[in-house]
Amino acid sequence: MRDAVRTGRLAWWMLLGGAAGAWFVATQGIAVGVLGVALFTVGIVAGQTLGGVVFDALGLGPGGRRPLSANRVAGAVLALAAVVWALSAQVAGEVPLWLLVLPFTAGIGAAWQQAMNGRVRTASSSAFAATLTNFALGTSVLVAVMLVHAASVGWPTEFPSEPWLYAGGAIGCVFIAAQAVLVRRVGVLVLSLGLVAGQLSAALAIDLLLPTPGRPVGFATIAGTVLALVAVVFASLRPRAARHVAPVDPLAADSGADGPGRP
């Protein structure tokens, strides 16, 4: 990886994917307790889908530029419609608008993070290097934020006692390593949508089984989640390859010959 940066095969700013991961984690801590898991994840879906379309079109991923197709654009539009529908009931309430924007921006950052980590993995030929770089930077950013927060409001007085609550970081390591390997093969958009399909299903199940106090799951959230899953399928469809007809050689056609030049 150092050689790739030194020789210019890898730009230094491509090592900053972990900063977007830190923002993703921070927004979870800020917004999930108010919005609920399902509503937060729908916002992530919209951001990841839009980011995937844009970053694939710009060629930021390791697989190069992937042109826009009708399916990809329609999937992105459906994902945005899903988030508007899911948020409609919440906007009518007293949820601050800035809190609704957080998961959307985190989703865009997650798509960019996938592209950057994929670039690092390709240049270094190591998913471990990409994962380590991602978490080293992300942890540094979060520690800085924690110190600023502690200086302003004080340190936490207690920590959760359930051991399984601390497994999130280990799961995140596997999550990032898998992204770094897969993004070159499938592109930013399809990777984002594949991850989102699992996130949405699990998030809605968690909110239904373990609802956030004072924030019941409404019809708009369920319908928005279903529409977002439809967007995932739609954008993942590959367009049919156009049939190509061999061009007719006008000289051969006029001669009426039965040789190789005849169409």
Side-chain angles (χ1 to χ4, degrees):
M1 186 175 67
R2 289 194 302 267
D3 292 339
V5 174
R6 190 184 306 116
T7 59
R9 291 185 293 112
L10 185 68
W12 66 267
W13 52 267
M14 292 180 178
L15 303 177
L16 303 180
W23 175 241
F24 189 99
V25 173
T27 57
Q28 289 177 348
I30 296 171
V32 169
V34 178
L35 299 177
V37 179
L39 193 58
F40 178 87
T41 306
V42 170
I44 294 292
V45 170
Q48 281 185 303
T49 304
L50 182 61
V53 169
V54 173
F55 299 149
D56 268 352
L58 294 177
L60 287 181
R65 182 171 297 176
R66 295 173 184 264
L68 294 177
S69 65
N71 289 343
R72 287 170 176 255
V73 174
V77 171
L78 281 176
L80 293 175
V83 97
V84 171
W85 193 358
L87 294 180
S88 60
Q90 305 293 338
V91 173
E94 298 181 354
V95 175
L97 182 60
W98 66 268
L99 200 60
L100 304 178
V101 174
L102 288 183
F104 180 74
T105 60
I108 294 177
W112 183 77
Q113 178 188 25
Q114 292 159 13
M116 297 302 99
N117 288 342
R119 288 272 190 174
V120 175
R121 190 268 175 189
T122 300
S124 63
S125 300
S126 171
F128 175 76
T131 306
L132 180 61
T133 303
N134 177 93
F135 276 92
L137 178 62
T139 301
S140 300
V141 172
L142 287 175
V143 168
V145 172
M146 180 187 67
L147 293 175
V148 173
H149 183 267
S152 58
V153 301
W155 294 97
T157 57
E158 59 181 357
F159 293 93
S161 57
E162 296 87 348
W164 61 271
L165 291 178
Y166 296 93
I171 295 172
C173 289
V174 178
F175 184 73
I176 295 298
Q179 290 179 12
V181 172
L182 292 173
V183 67
R184 184 180 182 183
R185 296 178 177 270
V186 301
V188 181
L189 176 61
V190 175
L191 174 62
S192 297
L193 295 180
L195 296 172
V196 157
Q199 287 174 321
L200 280 174
S201 303
L204 185 58
I206 290 172
D207 259 3
L208 290 174
L209 297 175
L210 301 170
T212 302
R215 187 65 60 186
V217 179
F219 172 77
T221 300
I222 297 175
T225 301
V226 173
L227 183 58
L229 287 171
V230 172
V232 169
V233 175
F234 218 94
S236 300
L237 294 176
R238 292 177 177 267
R240 286 186 177 182
R243 293 184 177 181
H244 297 283
V245 179
V248 177
D249 185 345
L251 295 179
D254 290 341
S255 66
D258 293 328
R262 185 179 179 88

